[in-house]
Structure formats: C-alpha cells, structure tokens
Amino acid sequence: MLKDLYVGVQNEMLNNLNISKIINHNVEKGNASENNWIEWFNTYLPKRYHTDKAFVIDSNDKVSEQIDIVI
C-alpha cells in the first residue's frame, strides 16, 4: 500500500515535469520546471523547510546559470 502511494506521487511529479517539456521557450520551460519542483518540495518536505528560486553565488562571485532552487 505504501509503495503504491509513493508510485502515485512519483507519477504525478513526472507528469508535471513532462508538461513543462512541451514549452518551446527555454526561459519559460526553465521557469515551469522550477515551479513544479518548488511546489513539490513545499508539499512534501516538513513544514520547517521552505523552497524558493534564487541565484546562487559562489565564493568567487560567480552566479549560477542553471535551475536554482534553494531549501
């Protein structure tokens, strides 16, 4: 029963991510993917955690260019 629940959640997330792949504009595709991950994390992580979009800056002042979600 628990396995079925996890498989259902996994399938839901995969479906949401596949919908994002339909978008042809790269920036919007990235935004849609980030939003799906953020929603998923905020739904299933303990409430003491929160996720959001952010730029990550390293110790050499380089700014990230990929999907950036912080927890």
Side-chain angles (χ1 to χ4, degrees):
M1 183 171 137
L2 188 57
K3 178 183 175 184
D4 293 335
L5 176 64
Y6 284 127
V7 168
V9 170
Q10 178 183 5
N11 288 336
E12 178 184 358
M13 184 60 183
L14 290 172
N15 287 334
N16 287 339
L17 289 172
N18 284 330
I19 290 171
S20 299
K21 291 179 182 179
I22 296 170
I23 301 170
N24 291 323
H25 191 273
N26 286 338
V27 173
E28 289 304 315
K29 182 183 291 191
N31 286 337
S33 180
E34 285 178 351
N35 289 335
N36 281 324
W37 280 107
I38 289 170
E39 182 179 336
W40 191 83
F41 283 131
N42 285 336
T43 297
Y44 294 104
L45 283 175
K47 296 304 176 198
R48 67 179 179 229
Y49 299 106
H50 181 74
T51 57
D52 210 339
K53 294 181 185 184
F55 290 102
V56 177
I57 303 171
D58 68 16
S59 61
N60 296 315
D61 292 329
K62 292 184 181 176
V63 178
S64 60
E65 297 179 9
Q66 297 294 319
I67 295 174
D68 295 314
I69 299 170
V70 293
I71 300 174

